[in-house]
Amino acid sequence: MQALVLEEKGVLSLREIDLALDVGPDDVKIAIHTVGVCGSDVHYYTHGAIGPFVLREPMVLGHEAAGTVVEVGSQVRNLKVGDRVCMEPGVPNLSSRASKLGLYNVDPDVRFWATPPIHGVLAPYAVHPAAFTYKLPDGVSFAEGAMVEPFAIGMQAATRARIQPGDVAAVIGCGPIGIMVALAALAGGCSRVFISDLSAEKLKIAGQYPGIVPVNITERPFTEVITEQTGGWGADVVFEASGSPKAFAGMFDLVRPGGVVVLVGLPVAKVEFDVAGAISKEVRIETVFRYANIFDRALELIASGKVDLKPLITGTFDFGQSVAAFERAAAAHPSDVKLQILVGEG
Ligand code: ZN
């Protein structure tokens, strides 16, 4: 079938490829409807690798997907043909030690869509374990379903933070993930979420949400704003969502004594870290790698209307224009948050 194939670094083609579509007893086959373009997909396109994951042979891209179940395995009880669904792209080994601890996201054997050598789902059909396939509630569109994956990262960050009602949060970096983190922090009980960036256009998108306060650090240092807004105390929770070495340097100036810093953004190289600054405030440090046990709660928030991800979908392309969608994403227009590709009718 046709799929969007990353042939090698910088070379994408929409072409025929053979993909395994055997439906095992615990699997479902899904007709793919919508797939979001993720920063990681774009990074494989522009760089051919992310850390230890190196593209060595052609790979289908795409891991933020929603569609319709068209076939179910003999043992599947939670889904039926015709169900609209979204999928969790990482499939762990459920017998692994990490999975048994509930930490299946850090299972070393996890197979994750569009992470070499595992194919993604920018193709008309995919087969996936029913256990990692989630029925979309009525009223949640395919487009929103395909937003659950990136939102799950924000949810994982907010979960790891162990937010308390009324907490004040600071998010460093207003990219798609920074905004997802801010929305999850609000949903988790934060009273106000300050979010910083250099780009006025990005901040404008975040600032349309009540409770999110954009801070343009070309005008004022983030620390100054947080200090002023918290009476000199600091933010209860700081989320690092930029991956920028500069942000790491000043991170602990933002947090209150005894507060928490959650590391979400992945720096490309080693970064400097103010250990004394962290110790002197007894800061709790948390890290986030993808997510585990999040999709059901993410769908609850979207279905209830408490979180509206629709304003973040800033462009939709037909499947035939997939390469153009990736070129657009690689150009990193500051007004783009999430681009999506309509693969089929679902
Ligand atoms: Zn993604």
Side-chain angles (χ1 to χ4, degrees), residues 38 63-64 149:
C38 180
H63 62 264
E64 303 178 354
E149 197 275 341

Side-chain angles (χ1 to χ4, degrees), residues 5-6 14 17 137 152 173 182-183 213 215 229 246 259 261 274 282 296:
V5 181
L6 179 59
L14 195 58
I17 185 170
L183 291 173
V213 186
V215 176
Q229 291 290 323
K246 265 193 191 155
V261 170
D274 178 11
E282 208 172 65
D296 291 301

